[in-house]
């Protein structure tokens, strides 16, 4: 299949869906829900076709908006380009998959809420923003889509405006997020002032030709802003408020996708594809590693002491972001070696796996809250009796996130452990400590779930079909991916790392071998 | 304590930004002549070819709606999102309707 021909539909379909939602809404509730499912389903179809096409051809898709070539009559890019390598395509697939499941889940979960036309509009725009980030090859365009994603997520976090925590978390998230976005915009402005181009690949060339202090300051601003967006410690506090306060379908998207696309993916893209040749990757790698270690320990340790189920999951997300950052940091610090490649493969693999696992766990938490109306773990004892399917799904998700061998989390965490132990045994030890905390947190939840049923739990039952099916699909995906861990790593993740590390190919595809 | 560190880091960021604002080793302000072509080659292209390639007399609208029209779609989406979000958050509370 021709990836270049279908690439625009990745933006056109959700854009059309979001802008037509207010009109479709006039036809009534059923058509609005059907429209949201159709749009996100069609996006999933395009996204998976695109992923398959990029994976099959092992190339980089470049698409110029408005012309055949990005260059015009000059020897530098003058138009906006999309540039999708295997890493970007993998992120596209991840976003479309989890978004589709979240929309499907919302049909049942959001039934009792008002303002649902706005809700479906915003959830499709959230997906659109993430897709735009994943496919773009232009720095300012990246910022625009980062803002689309961020603004949609601020509104969705505070969507339940009759709860005090929704509004509080929304305000906190908005203030912190706006400052982080401002950092990134300032970085882009500095780079444009110094180098006069906004295309990522041409900027990489310019940076390598004439490194400057301005570029280093801009890099510092990018790293600061993107660490905010990914919820790394010590700037993770917004995440621990925003993820529990949002509706669960949104938490699944925020935790599974937003922090990775807006944080990890963008960080990897900027560090590898733009700055790869012009900075000391070792220094930057160690900066990332230090933040990763703090994040790893704090996130997982804070998860152990939570009494609120969704807050526990949110802190666990912080902890898992720590693993991904550790892989990314080692991938940079050991750039070009076998160890670095394995670490980066582990990071990308864990990004994908964590999106599935954390989406599953948040959807399960949503189902529990929907049935019982409480998130307090102490009141949830014994739901294994009355909600067996939900509890089983949680068991699978928890086992996967800890990294039990038959499930998908094992392979990705193993790659990170292995490479960190080879790179520096202390980092390996820190990673193991993080997992110990993570195990404690999840075992504690499972212990509660399998305890003696309490009074309020007795009348609970498994959720309805639209809420159960996304959960089942995610469980199946986690188990199936767990059966072929090394094949997936060999066939998808390692080539994705190779594509990311091959900066020359990234640059020369746009400039036409120049 | 936290506040002191925050002000100190703000001061540091300001210092770094002031440092690179020096034209000798950082950003050039008002580049002209050969510097214009070295730093603003993209702008120069738009000014020279804009009229012929796009057909508008106004370079800014040529760029905003043609060369970089996709960003404008994005900005429109940002506004749409902001409006949808504001309306969504300002809707009446659930318990008020019952």
């Amino acid at each position: 299949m021709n990836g270049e021909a279908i690439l625009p539909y990745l933006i056109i379909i959700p854009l059309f869906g979001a802008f037509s939602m207010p009109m479709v809404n006039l036809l009534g509730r059923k058509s609005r829900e059907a429209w949201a499912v159709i749009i996100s389903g069609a996006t999933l179809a395009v996204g998976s076709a695109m992923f398959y096409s990029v994976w099959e051809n092992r190339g980089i898709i470049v698409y110029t908006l408005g012309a055949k070539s990005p260059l015009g009559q000059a020897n530098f890019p003058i138009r906006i380009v999309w540039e999708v390598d295997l890493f970007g395509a993998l992120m596209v697939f991840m976003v479309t998959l989890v978004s589709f499941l979240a929309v499907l889940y919302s049909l049942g979960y959001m039934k009792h809420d008002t303002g649902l036309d706005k809700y479906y509009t915003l959830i499709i725009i959230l997906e659109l923003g993430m897709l735009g980030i994943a496919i773009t090859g232009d720095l300012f365009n990246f910022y625009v889509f980062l803002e689309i994603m961020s603004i949609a997520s601020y509104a969705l976090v505070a969507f339940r405006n009759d709860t005090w925590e929704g509004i509080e978390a929304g305000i906190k998230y908005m203030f912190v997020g706006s400052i982080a976005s401002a950092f990134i915009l300032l970085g882009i402005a500095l780079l444009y002032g110094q180098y006069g181009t906004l295309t990522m690949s041409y900027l990489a060339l310019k940076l390598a030709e004439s490194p400057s202090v301005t570029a280093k300051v801009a890099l510092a601003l990018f790293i600061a802003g993107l660490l905010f967006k990914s919820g790394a410690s010590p700037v993770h506090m917004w995440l621990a408020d925003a993820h529990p306060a949002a509706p669960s379908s949104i938490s699944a998207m925020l935790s599974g996708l937003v922090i990775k696309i807006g944080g990890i993916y963008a960080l990897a893209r900027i560090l590898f594809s733009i700055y790869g040749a012009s900075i000391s990757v070792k220094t930057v790698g160690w900066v990332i590693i230090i933040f990763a270690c703090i994040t790893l320990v704090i996130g997982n340790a804070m998860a152990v002491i939570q009494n609120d189920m969704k807050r526990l999951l949110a802190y666990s997300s912080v902890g898992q972001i720590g693993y991904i950052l550790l892989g990314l940091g080692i991938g940079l610090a050991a750039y070009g070696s076998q160890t670095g490649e394995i670490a980066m493969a582990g990071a990308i693999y864990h990004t994908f796996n964590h999106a599935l696992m954390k989406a599953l766990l948040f959807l399960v938490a949503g189902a529990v809250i929907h049935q019982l109306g409480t998130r307090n773990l102490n009141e949830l004892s014994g739901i294994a009796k009355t909600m067996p399917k939900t509890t089983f799904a949680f068991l699978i998700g928890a086992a996967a996130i800890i990294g039990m061998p038959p499930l998908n989390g094992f392979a990705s965490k193993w790659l990170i452990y292995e490479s960190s132990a080879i790179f520096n045994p202390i980092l390996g030890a820190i990673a193991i400590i993080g997992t110990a905390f993570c195990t404690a947190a999840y075992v504690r939840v499972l212990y509660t779930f399998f305890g003696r049923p309490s009074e309020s739990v007795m009348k609970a039952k498994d959720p309805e079909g639209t809420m159960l099916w996304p959960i089942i699909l995610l469980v199946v995906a986690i188990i199936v991916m767990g059966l072929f861990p090394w094949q997936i790593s060999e066939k998808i993740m390692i080539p994705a790392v190779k594509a990311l590390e091959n900066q020359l190919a990234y640059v020369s595809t746009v400039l036409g071998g120049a | 304590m936290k506040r002191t560190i925050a002000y100190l880091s703000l001061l540091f960021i300001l210092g770094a930004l002031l440092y690179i604002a020096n034209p000798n080793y950082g950003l050039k302000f008002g580049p002209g002549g050969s510097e214009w072509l070295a730093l603003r080659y993209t702008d120069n292209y738009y000014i020279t070819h804009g009229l012929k390639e796009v057909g508008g007399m106004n370079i800014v609208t040529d760029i905003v709606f043609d060369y970089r029209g996709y960003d404008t779609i994005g900005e429109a989406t940002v506004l749409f999102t902001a409006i949808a979000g504001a309306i969504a958050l300002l809707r009446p509370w659930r318990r008020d309707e019952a």
Side-chain angles (χ1 to χ4, degrees), chain B residues 29-94:
Chain B
F29 292 93
S34 61
E35 270 182 355
W36 165 260
L37 280 181
L39 293 174
R40 299 286 174 266
Y41 47 92
T42 322
D43 306 6
N44 194 56
Y45 180 91
Y46 292 146
I47 293 168
T48 0
H49 296 86
L51 183 59
K52 202 152 48 84
E53 278 190 7
V54 182
M57 292 296 280
N58 189 329
I59 307 287
V60 177
T61 47
D62 281 355
I63 295 171
V64 166
F65 288 100
D66 188 290
Y67 290 113
R68 301 190 65 88
Y70 180 50
D71 280 346
T72 311
I73 294 182
E75 295 299 348
T77 314
V78 168
L79 287 178
F80 180 73
T81 317
I83 293 166
I87 294 174
L89 298 189
L90 294 173
R91 73 187 191 277
W93 290 3
R94 252 182 298 184

Side-chain angles (χ1 to χ4, degrees), chain A residues 397-437:
Chain A
I401 211 161
I402 294 165
M404 298 286 242
L407 299 165
N408 66 354
F410 169 68
S412 55
K413 276 197 168 181
W414 180 259
L415 292 174
I416 294 174
Y417 293 149
E418 190 190 7
S419 54
S420 59
I422 293 171
F423 180 69
N424 188 335
I426 298 169
L427 297 180
I430 292 174
I432 301 284
I433 291 171
T435 300
F437 281 129

Side-chain angles (χ1 to χ4, degrees), chain A residues 73 78-79 82 112 114 121 138 140-141 144-145 148 158-159 161-162 192-197 202 206, chain B residues 26 39-43 45-46 49 53 66 68 70-71 73-75 78 80-81 89 91 93-95:
Chain A
Q73 302 168 41
I78 51 159
R79 289 178 181 273
W82 286 332
H112 306 296
T114 57
T121 313
D138 187 279
F140 184 71
N141 191 248
V144 170
F145 277 84
I148 293 175
F159 188 77
N161 60 351
D162 49 357
Y192 184 65
Q194 184 77 20
Y195 295 103
T197 183
Y202 193 61
K206 279 271 170 190
Chain B
L39 293 174
R40 299 286 174 266
Y41 47 92
T42 322
D43 306 6
Y45 180 91
Y46 292 146
H49 296 86
E53 278 190 7
D66 188 290
R68 301 190 65 88
Y70 180 50
D71 280 346
I73 294 182
E75 295 299 348
V78 168
F80 180 73
T81 317
L89 298 189
R91 73 187 191 277
W93 290 3
R94 252 182 298 184
R95 57 182 85 102

